[in-house]
Amino acid sequence: ASKRIVGSLSFHAGLNAVLWPLGRSPRKTKDNRKHRKIAEKIANSGSFDYSSNSYKDYPTQGEFIDYAYLKYKIPALTLEVSKEKKPLKKKIIESILSKQIQATLTFIAELNRRRNALTFNKATSKLSYKRKLQNFDRRWKSSNYELL
């Protein structure tokens, strides 16, 4: 069975931020506001300093989130999880892993809440965060969806 890609997270080190497309151009995409809201929610859920359009942070060519968004029209974010490019201390690594897990769960919950985050056609569920994750996990296991 074929699988439909519904979202993309890319993990990097060097900053402490959540970035959304486009990295190659200062122009805003038609989904800029939607990406920004998801990025802000993730930034606020963890220990990130800020969220930003990737181009404003640093212009790039060939950024994966640009490819994922432009090719598949899905929410695509870069999580810069540490200011240290090569964190070696166990305490820092544990902190980074904790941040990655929280950010990933928040991203998945947002995809679930928005029922394919960039369409926004379904009503928002009133369920608690934990219940949303449980419901998503149940549907995820029985579906043909995967994260890129």
Side-chain angles (χ1 to χ4, degrees), residues 7 18 26 33 37 62 71 104 108-110 128 130 136 141 143:
V18 182
R33 192 174 128 256
K37 285 186 174 189
K71 169 102 175 151
T104 301
I108 290 170
E110 277 300 294
S128 70
K130 184 176 180 182
F136 181 81
K141 288 176 182 172
S143 72

Side-chain angles (χ1 to χ4, degrees), residues 37-52:
K37 285 186 174 189
I38 296 169
E40 286 173 353
K41 190 163 268 195
I42 291 172
N44 292 333
S45 76
S47 312
F48 293 96
D49 294 338
Y50 63 96
S51 62
S52 173

Side-chain angles (χ1 to χ4, degrees), residues 12-104:
H12 296 260
L15 297 171
N16 191 34
V18 182
L19 309 173
W20 69 86
L22 293 168
R24 67 181 188 175
S25 168
R27 78 175 169 88
K28 293 181 179 178
T29 68
K30 67 179 182 171
D31 297 307
N32 190 71
R33 192 174 128 256
K34 298 167 189 173
H35 271 108
R36 181 178 48 82
K37 285 186 174 189
I38 296 169
E40 286 173 353
K41 190 163 268 195
I42 291 172
N44 292 333
S45 76
S47 312
F48 293 96
D49 294 338
Y50 63 96
S51 62
S52 173
N53 170 274
S54 186
Y55 184 86
K56 287 181 183 175
D57 196 60
Y58 56 92
T60 58
Q61 292 294 319
E63 191 166 350
F64 182 75
I65 59 173
D66 289 1
Y67 170 78
Y69 170 69
L70 294 170
K71 169 102 175 151
Y72 297 104
K73 303 296 184 226
I74 57 173
L77 303 172
T78 295
L79 303 180
E80 296 275 358
V81 295
S82 173
K83 290 180 182 178
E84 294 187 42
K85 287 209 177 249
K86 296 180 182 178
L88 300 175
K89 295 179 183 172
K90 184 178 179 183
K91 186 176 180 180
I92 294 172
I93 291 172
E94 287 172 357
S95 169
I96 290 169
L97 288 175
S98 175
K99 186 186 302 186
Q100 288 175 330
I101 291 167
Q102 181 61 45
T104 301

Side-chain angles (χ1 to χ4, degrees), residues 119-134:
T119 60
F120 294 92
N121 291 332
K122 309 252 177 167
T124 302
S125 171
K126 300 284 185 193
L127 298 174
S128 70
Y129 181 77
K130 184 176 180 182
R131 183 80 185 266
K132 285 181 184 179
L133 288 177
Q134 290 169 343

